[in-house]
Amino acid sequence: MVSASAMCVVQPKILSSLMGNCLRQSKQPAHQLFCYNPGPGSKHVSMQLSKRFSGLTNLLFNGSRNADKVLNTKRKRLRPGKISPHRPVPDHIPKPPYVKSKKPPGIASGPEVHDEKGIECMRASGRLAAQVLEFAGTLVKPGIKTDEIDQAVHQMIIDNGAYPSPLGYGGFPKSVCTSVNECICHGIPDSRALEDGDIINIDVTVYLNGYHGDTSATFFCGDVDDEGRKLVQVTKECLDKAISICAPGVELKKIGKTIQEHADKYHYGVVQQFVGHGVGRVFHADPVVLHFRNNESGRMVVNQTFTIEPMLTLGSFNPVMWDDNWTVVTEDGSLSAQFEHTILITEDGAEILTRC
């Protein structure tokens, strides 16, 4: 889930980690990690990277609210719909530690590196996440409400004995993220019905047997124009190309270089404020995976799991946050697309865990 989830970095994506039986909490207060300056309208989100990037604690966000921008688009601008009540999860299903608190969890330091049992658990959670995402994609059609997609996803996940990871993460109210048209990420399912020509990213994360599997894809709703179809195609190609260069010892910064080079060929924007991340026993952990050209340090190691989740835009890649403190849209209302996989670094490359 951003992302980079896919739920990694704007609404206080302050992450939690189980190290043995102990929950490690970041000593750095949330307001020092995520800084919003209130004002009328929507929140602009920007990111500062330290000269030496040491993990998620070095991601600083500075926001300023602004009035509605003039949008150069023929589509109707997205507006918040009605959000339905919280969906229950049976008591017998194990829940992540962060569920009991509406506060964002602490930051997980250190990569998710697994033994043989852990790898099999990651394969199982990844496979279920992929199956749920595939099913969710079949529901996409004009007239369906994103809340109905959430209901179906929620039911499939709990029917398989898993917990929908987004539900209750930092207070997120739903079991899946549904990001339509100009929504970059973290869209909250609501009463808005999909319209012919929409594109929608569905971001699924499941918590199964103590491990998270995280994936997303962008789907077409009805007759999507050529411009939208091309954006979605190139975004998927960016993910595929990034995964193809992954292997033990490879510098993590090569992921961003690969994505940026391909996006640049089509003059698409690459969103910088949302990142890929370590995933496994915890929802979000090191390493931070940047999707744009960068000079940050870090290399991939065998049996490590993390997500790659590029977000591309037709126009401005500057994100603006709604007042719900979750939904993030493009500054100019241009389309945005995203794809995400959880991968495992193997002896000779990378294995995609979130594939049916």
Side-chain angles (χ1 to χ4, degrees):
M1 172 181 179
V2 115
S3 198
S5 92
M7 275 179 54
C8 194
V9 216
V10 168
Q11 157 63 15
K13 284 216 175 249
I14 309 175
L15 316 178
S16 64
S17 175
L18 279 174
M19 299 297 183
N21 294 321
C22 301
L23 177 65
R24 292 187 54 186
Q25 295 286 347
S26 170
K27 295 181 180 179
Q28 192 169 7
H31 71 270
Q32 291 181 14
L33 293 170
F34 304 90
C35 306
Y36 299 112
N37 299 319
S42 299
K43 289 180 285 190
H44 285 251
V45 183
S46 62
M47 178 173 71
Q48 298 174 347
L49 291 175
S50 63
K51 291 183 179 179
R52 184 174 181 182
F53 193 75
S54 61
L56 291 168
T57 56
N58 291 326
L59 282 176
L60 301 179
F61 293 86
N62 299 285
S64 61
R65 291 184 179 268
N66 204 336
D68 285 353
K69 288 282 184 180
V70 176
L71 304 179
N72 182 23
T73 176
K74 295 179 181 179
R75 288 176 290 100
K76 295 178 183 177
R77 188 174 185 180
L78 286 177
R79 298 295 182 189
K82 183 179 179 180
I83 298 175
S84 64
H86 184 282
R87 303 190 198 283
V89 177
D91 291 339
H92 70 274
I93 293 178
K95 301 170 179 61
Y98 55 76
V99 171
K100 293 182 180 180
S101 173
K102 289 187 177 181
K103 295 181 180 180
I107 294 175
S109 59
E112 284 278 5
V113 180
H114 308 281
D115 58 17
E116 186 175 343
K117 180 180 178 182
I119 290 171
E120 288 307 309
C121 287
M122 284 300 297
R123 286 183 175 133
S125 62
R127 184 165 52 249
L128 177 59
Q131 291 168 346
V132 173
L133 179 63
E134 183 178 63
F135 168 65
T138 67
L139 304 176
V140 174
K141 60 183 178 181
I144 191 170
K145 297 178 177 65
T146 52
D147 187 61
E148 293 176 298
I149 295 175
D150 179 79
Q151 181 178 19
V153 164
H154 179 90
Q155 192 62 48
M156 182 174 179
I157 292 173
I158 64 173
D159 284 349
N160 281 274
Y163 184 89
S165 303
L167 185 62
Y169 183 89
F172 191 79
K174 290 297 173 182
S175 298
V176 68
C177 294
T178 52
S179 302
V180 180
N181 294 337
E182 71 263 33
C183 185
I184 295 172
C185 59
H186 305 163
I188 300 174
D190 61 22
S191 60
R192 181 191 184 274
L194 294 181
E195 299 177 1
D196 185 61
D198 284 347
I199 63 172
I200 176 174
N201 176 269
I202 301 177
D203 192 338
V204 172
T205 312
V206 304
Y207 183 68
L208 178 66
N209 297 325
Y211 290 78
H212 297 271
D214 191 0
T215 186
S216 84
T218 300
F219 300 93
F220 301 129
C221 181
D223 185 18
V224 175
D225 62 28
D226 292 342
E227 193 175 48
R229 287 180 176 273
K230 188 65 175 179
L231 174 67
V232 172
Q233 174 189 330
V234 173
T235 306
K236 178 61 164 61
E237 291 170 357
C238 283
L239 174 61
D240 292 341
K241 288 178 180 292
I243 293 173
S244 73
I245 59 98
C246 292
V250 173
E251 294 176 303
L252 287 161
K253 67 182 182 182
K254 289 189 176 181
I255 291 175
K257 180 176 183 290
T258 300
I259 291 169
Q260 186 84 62
E261 284 181 349
H262 193 59
D264 283 351
K265 293 177 183 178
Y266 301 90
H267 305 289
Y268 292 150
V270 179
V271 177
Q272 299 185 6
Q273 287 82 355
F274 299 88
V275 300
H277 52 89
V279 65
R281 292 172 293 265
V282 297
F283 198 166
H284 303 97
D286 286 326
V288 167
V289 179
L290 304 179
H291 301 122
F292 57 97
R293 289 188 188 89
N294 65 89
N295 292 313
E296 305 305 335
S297 61
R299 294 178 182 270
M300 305 172 199
V301 298
V302 175
N303 296 340
Q304 178 182 30
T305 51
F306 57 84
T307 70
I308 305 175
E309 44 190 294
M311 305 172 199
L312 271 57
T313 65
L314 280 178
S316 173
F317 56 84
N318 293 324
V320 175
M321 183 180 285
W322 282 4
D323 288 336
D324 61 20
N325 284 332
W326 280 106
T327 307
V328 178
V329 298
T330 56
E331 182 180 38
D332 59 359
S334 61
L335 289 178
S336 179
Q338 179 192 12
F339 283 85
E340 173 187 12
H341 274 308
T342 296
I343 67 168
L344 166 73
I345 301 301
T346 62
E347 293 284 354
D348 56 358
E351 176 184 342
I352 298 174
L353 299 179
T354 45
R355 187 178 336 192
C356 292

